[in-house]
């Protein structure tokens, strides 16, 4: 693992310009395992070049798939898929590797997938994945840190009600239900755009799914599917991150090749702060130049609410606005490891339970800081853009999991974010 760092110099100026948004990491990570449901070559377009894509490709290769791609297109050949196991070495590095569980047991009747373990900001249980698969007739046995799932013949259609909205569990059960015998009903399913993208892809494979975009998905299982072909939606979290950059630097940023509807909750926050927001068919522009911005209160919620994945970038942004702002994270109560690092830069943030109070408007000073997870990385870069003096951010391999050509896109907006490699340090 490379231990590259980012260097953000002392020259602070407003971001100004436009960037093209890449394909959505979280959508691709759900669609890639869908290829396991069919025998042959599936194709995915608008795929970002990210570390997480490589990790999922490595998981699929271990299972026996051949994967190649160029120009943001991916081809997954499943004709050699016969090693029905996903090892701990890979699953521990990316929780989405667990998505292979549903399609493998649905198509092959058995599989062995490592438990994901925790992550940088606390464990996220997979009990909903397992209970849901049991509702579809799978037998689940956990032994030596692995989930062993089996079924006799095909999975059986069933009904499962998610007690809480879970994107990951919705993905796994949706994938499994496509090949189950009979009708499956998923109640209180997640409705994130990435789920809709997966539904569209599964339908291209011949799946019979009703309820797209609603919290009730009805799946009529089919005996077999054909290889799929589809395009990944734009990454709404990347779009939101760069728009946060406009606000924190009091600049103007236009994000293109994206779906404005997917970030309406974020745009409403920017409007409430006091920014000008312009919306087109496939672009959004946020203008914070010469604006008197005000503090706000925000609560993260399942889609269409404000996304937890933008909690850290927004916190950094609100720290630049004079007055007291509040952020409550109802999705992941312990996703606040970035606060300690933002404090090293001079931010004044107090945490009580799952609610952070940001006493904004304090001058920031450059310092050595460490990224603890993907979105924390982005928050630290944003703060570095307005800090006095040089900011060095280590462990940016986290950021490389979710942002394609990050330094180049920042450069297009007028910012200097330099990557320092160990051999050059």
């Amino acid at each position: 693992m490379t231990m590259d760092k980012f260097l953000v110099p002392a020259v602070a100026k407003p971001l100004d310009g436009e960037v093209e948004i890449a394909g959505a990491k979280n959508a691709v990570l759900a669609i890639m395992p869908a290829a396991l449901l069919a025998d042959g070559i599936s194709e995915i377009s608008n795929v970002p070049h990210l570390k997480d894509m490589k990790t999922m490709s490595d998981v699929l290769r271990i299972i026996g798939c051949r994967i190649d791609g160029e120009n943001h297109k991916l081809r997954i050949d499943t004709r050699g898929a016969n090693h029905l196991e996903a090892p701990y070495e890979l699953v521990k590095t990316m929780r989405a590797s667990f998505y292979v569980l549903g399609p493998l047991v649905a198509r092959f009747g058995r599989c062995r997938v490592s438990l994901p373990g925790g992550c940088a900001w606390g464990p996220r249980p997979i009990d909903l994945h397992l209970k849901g698969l049991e509702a579809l007739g799978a037998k689940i046995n956990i032994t030596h840190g692995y989930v062993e799932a089996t079924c006799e013949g095909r999975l059986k259609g069933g009904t499962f009600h998610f007690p809480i909205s879970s994107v990951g569990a919705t993905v796994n059960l949706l994938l499994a239900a496509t090949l189950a015998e009979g009708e499956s009903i998923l109640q209180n399913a997640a409705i994130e755009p990435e789920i809709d993208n997966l539904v569209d892809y599964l339908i291209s494979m011949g799946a019979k799914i009703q309820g797209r975009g609603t919290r009730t998905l009805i799946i009529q299982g089919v005996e077999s599917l054909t290889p799929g072909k589809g395009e990944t939606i734009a990454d709404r979290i990347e779009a939101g991150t760069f728009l946060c950059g406009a606000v924190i630097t009091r600049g103007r940023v236009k994000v293109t090749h994206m779906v404005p509807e997917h970030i309406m909750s974020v745009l409403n926050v920017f409007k409430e702060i006091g920014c000008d927001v312009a919306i087109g068919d496939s672009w959004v522009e946020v203008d914070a130049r010469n604006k008197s911005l005000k503090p706000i209160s925000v609560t993260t919620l399942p889609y269409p609410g404000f996304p937890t994945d933008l909690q850290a970038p927004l916190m950094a942004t609100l720290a630049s606005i004079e007055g007291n702002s509040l952020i409550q994270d109802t999705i992941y109560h312990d996703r606040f490891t970035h606060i300690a690092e933002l404090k090293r830069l001079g931010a004044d943030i107090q945490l009580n339970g799952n609610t952070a109070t940001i006493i904004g408007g304090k001058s920031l000073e450059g310092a050595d800081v460490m990224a603890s997870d993907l979105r924390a990385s982005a928050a630290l870069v944003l703060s570095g853009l307005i800090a006095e003096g040089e900011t060095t951010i280590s462990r940016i391999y986290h950021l490389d999991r979710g942002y394609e050509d990050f330094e180049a896109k920042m450069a297009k907006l007028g910012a200097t974010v330099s990557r320092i490699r160990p051999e050059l340090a």
Side-chain angles (χ1 to χ4, degrees):
M1 178 184 293
T2 178
M3 294 298 284
D4 294 359
K5 298 180 179 182
F6 272 157
L7 180 66
V8 183
V11 183
K13 63 178 182 178
L15 297 186
D16 190 15
E18 69 176 59
V19 291
E20 183 176 327
I21 299 304
K25 170 182 83 82
N26 291 337
V28 181
L29 291 177
I31 292 172
M32 288 176 72
L36 292 168
L37 292 166
D39 191 49
I41 302 173
S42 290
E43 297 181 3
I44 313 169
S45 59
N46 195 31
V47 176
H49 294 310
L50 297 173
K51 187 179 173 187
D52 274 9
M53 265 70 270
K54 181 184 182 304
T55 302
M56 184 62 84
S57 295
D58 288 344
V59 172
L60 295 177
R61 286 190 180 102
I62 282 178
I63 291 169
C65 301
R66 291 173 60 95
I67 300 176
D68 62 81
E70 58 184 3
N71 299 324
H72 294 90
K73 293 182 180 178
L74 203 59
R75 298 169 77 250
I76 303 174
D77 185 347
T78 63
R79 287 174 292 187
N82 56 16
H83 181 74
L84 309 180
E85 181 170 322
Y88 175 67
E89 289 71 27
L90 289 173
V91 179
K92 72 176 180 180
T93 66
M94 187 186 71
R95 292 182 57 86
S97 308
F98 200 66
Y99 290 166
V100 301
L101 182 69
L104 285 179
V105 70
R107 183 173 164 209
F108 298 100
R110 62 183 177 86
C111 63
R112 187 171 183 265
V113 178
S114 170
L115 289 166
C119 70
W121 33 268
R124 287 178 274 173
I126 44 93
D127 59 322
L128 296 183
H129 299 244
L130 304 184
K131 290 176 181 175
L133 287 172
E134 286 177 329
L136 300 182
K139 291 183 173 61
I140 303 293
N141 184 35
I142 300 177
T143 178
H144 301 295
Y146 279 76
V147 175
E148 295 178 347
T150 58
C151 67
E152 295 181 11
R154 292 167 62 189
L155 292 173
K156 303 295 187 287
T159 298
F160 186 75
H161 179 86
F162 295 94
I164 58 171
S165 181
S166 169
V167 173
T170 299
V171 168
N172 237 333
L173 296 198
L174 185 55
L175 292 171
T178 57
L179 292 179
E181 187 178 347
E183 180 179 271
S184 296
I185 302 174
L186 304 182
Q187 299 171 338
N188 195 33
I191 57 171
E192 272 71 4
E194 294 79 12
I195 296 293
D196 289 350
N197 201 184
L198 175 60
V199 167
D200 292 340
Y201 195 85
L202 290 171
I203 289 173
S204 84
M205 300 177 74
K208 296 181 179 178
I209 304 170
Q210 294 175 291
R212 179 190 184 279
T214 75
R215 295 206 178 275
T216 301
L217 294 172
I218 303 172
I219 305 101
Q220 303 293 338
V222 296
E223 284 193 22
S224 63
L225 294 171
T226 56
K229 189 173 185 178
E231 181 176 355
T232 310
I233 58 172
D235 196 314
R236 58 197 173 99
I237 307 303
E238 183 194 12
T241 300
F242 282 109
L243 294 176
C244 280
V247 183
I248 196 170
T249 64
R250 307 300 190 265
R252 177 190 64 87
V253 171
K254 183 178 184 179
V255 291
T256 65
H257 295 75
M258 47 81 68
V259 182
E261 180 187 352
H262 292 170
I263 58 168
M264 290 310 296
S265 63
V266 182
L267 300 181
N268 288 336
V269 164
F270 292 144
K271 290 177 184 176
E272 189 179 350
I273 288 171
C275 303
D276 287 340
V277 177
I279 301 173
D281 289 340
S282 60
W283 58 268
V284 169
E285 182 179 273
V286 170
D287 190 346
R289 297 173 298 180
N290 304 313
K291 300 291 188 295
S292 178
L293 304 184
K294 59 180 184 292
I296 55 166
S297 295
V298 176
T299 300
T300 70
L301 293 165
Y303 189 85
F306 190 90
T308 182
D309 279 353
L310 283 174
Q311 180 249 102
L314 180 66
M315 185 178 294
T317 303
L318 293 177
S320 75
I321 298 173
E322 195 167 337
N324 291 5
S325 292
L326 293 176
I327 297 181
Q328 182 183 39
D329 199 325
T330 67
I331 308 297
Y332 299 121
H333 292 189
D334 49 3
R335 194 179 194 176
F336 292 104
T337 53
H338 46 279
I339 290 179
E341 299 302 300
L342 290 173
K343 283 184 173 183
R344 284 181 54 79
L345 297 172
D348 190 351
I349 303 169
Q350 298 169 0
L351 183 63
N352 183 13
N354 66 330
T355 302
T357 301
I358 303 104
I359 298 92
K362 305 293 175 70
S363 295
L364 302 185
E365 295 182 349
D368 290 336
V369 292
M370 182 175 67
S372 55
D373 62 68
L374 168 55
R375 307 307 171 183
S377 313
L380 294 174
V381 173
L382 293 177
S383 292
L385 294 176
I386 62 168
E388 296 178 11
E390 203 170 73
T391 300
T392 303
I393 304 154
S394 60
R395 294 192 178 179
I396 60 165
Y397 55 83
H398 289 297
L399 184 137
D400 291 336
R401 289 185 47 220
Y403 294 94
E404 179 184 276
D405 295 335
F406 187 77
E407 308 99 292
K409 289 181 179 181
M410 277 292 181
K412 284 193 70 175
L413 300 175
T416 302
V417 178
S418 303
R419 183 180 294 262
I420 304 172
R421 293 201 154 88
E423 62 270 23
L424 303 178

